[in-house]
Amino acid sequence: VAAAAVMLRIDGQEVPCVVEAIRDLAQQARLSQEQRLSELGLLAAGLAHEIYNPMSSINLLLEAAREELAAGRTAGTEERLKVIGDEVERTLKITNSLLALCLPPSEDPVLVDLDRVVPEALTLLGYQARQGGCAIDCDIAAGLRLLGSESDVRMVVTNLVINAIHAMPRGGRVRVSGRRAAGEVVLTVADEGIGIAPEHLSHIFLPFWTRRADGSPGRGLGLSIVQAIVSRWRGRIEVESVVGKGSRFILTLPDP
């Protein structure tokens, strides 16, 4: 509830009044989560491929193990079981990353280990990167942490890297880095894409505004969600871009 005093002229007399504005934050929180989930839908195809590959490997390994055991041979069974275990662990890592990304943000800040959370978030984007001929480099300083929400961090990284991939229709590298600087945590996502025209820089954080270089359809919600998250945790986001050379998004937040 926000209130302000105001003098109104009623029946020829100045009357002191109060104007109140009441906003339902529960509705705002619900819409915010719906926007987040709509963005997650864009990852569905890529996740299906990321999970399909290890599951296919597991199926082939199990079939080979059955044939060996039926023939009385056990020499390669131990090694096959080890590979199956590795593939299961890989699949669980991918699904756990997706589940963590789907969680609504926590109301109270917690310490988030960026050198763990950021690489985990990037595991969801392997398929999209390969399809676009892109590679993702990750360099997060050891022990780097911030006060915020783990699902928020995953959402920020996911949206910025997806945008970077779309900005490079002919392929390239995305570099995700994190460091401490002057009492602050600085996260940077840089690409080698087509860049952002100067006249568009003032629009890129507006909801439903989208200009993807590869021509794919976008909802125009990614950067508005990123900006809202960064502001929620008392940070700021800046953009440096050169047309034809690429863009760099710089997120700065308090260092706990």
Side-chain angles (χ1 to χ4, degrees):
V1 178
V6 62
M7 296 295 294
L8 297 180
R9 191 168 187 82
I10 301 175
D11 296 331
Q13 295 183 347
E14 296 289 332
V15 180
C17 299
V18 174
V19 174
E20 287 186 350
I22 303 174
R23 184 172 50 160
D24 186 350
L25 295 182
Q27 173 76 355
Q28 179 179 335
R30 183 183 67 81
L31 290 174
S32 175
Q33 182 64 3
E34 286 179 357
Q35 290 176 346
R36 293 162 67 101
L37 293 176
S38 73
E39 289 294 291
L40 291 177
L42 302 177
L43 295 174
L47 289 173
H49 282 269
E50 291 296 281
I51 293 173
Y52 178 83
N53 290 334
M55 294 304 292
S56 296
S57 299
I58 290 170
N59 190 47
L60 291 172
L61 289 164
L62 286 174
E63 184 63 30
R66 289 192 194 99
E67 292 177 359
E68 288 182 343
L69 291 173
R73 302 190 304 270
T74 59
T77 303
E78 184 176 348
E79 179 62 26
R80 294 187 193 281
L81 289 175
K82 179 181 181 302
V83 176
I84 288 173
D86 292 342
E87 293 297 288
V88 169
E89 185 176 347
R90 177 185 167 194
T91 305
L92 289 174
K93 184 177 181 180
I94 293 170
T95 53
N96 286 336
S97 293
L98 178 63
L99 290 172
L101 188 59
C102 292
L103 291 173
S106 57
E107 293 297 326
D108 298 318
V110 297
L111 280 172
V112 180
D113 298 312
L114 295 177
D115 54 350
R116 172 184 61 85
V117 172
V118 173
E120 285 182 2
L122 295 177
T123 62
L124 298 177
L125 304 175
Y127 175 75
Q128 279 87 346
R130 292 192 299 274
Q131 287 294 99
C134 301
I136 302 175
D137 297 331
C138 183
D139 180 21
I140 305 296
L144 190 64
R145 301 192 295 180
L146 60 77
L147 275 172
S149 162
E150 184 171 314
S151 65
D152 275 349
V153 172
R154 293 174 186 271
M155 180 63 71
V156 165
V157 171
T158 300
N159 273 314
L160 290 178
V161 174
I162 286 177
N163 282 354
I165 292 171
H166 286 302
M168 299 186 294
R170 298 179 181 175
R173 304 195 77 83
V174 184
R175 294 177 176 83
V176 183
S177 60
R179 68 186 191 280
R180 291 185 179 86
E184 295 179 312
V185 171
V186 181
L187 281 177
T188 303
V189 177
D191 64 60
E192 302 171 337
I194 66 167
I196 304 169
E199 64 268 22
H200 291 163
L201 282 173
S202 61
H203 303 304
I204 61 174
F205 293 106
L206 296 175
F208 309 111
W209 192 92
T210 178
R211 296 286 190 283
R212 283 186 172 176
D214 58 2
S216 63
R219 299 173 187 269
L221 293 173
L223 286 178
S224 64
I225 291 175
V226 168
Q227 187 181 52
I229 289 172
V230 173
S231 297
R232 181 187 306 143
W233 300 120
R234 298 187 296 114
R236 62 186 185 276
I237 182 169
E238 299 169 292
V239 186
E240 298 174 354
S241 188
V242 178
V243 174
K245 293 187 176 181
S247 303
R248 189 161 68 129
F249 286 79
I250 306 161
L251 284 62
T252 307
L253 298 109
D255 185 351

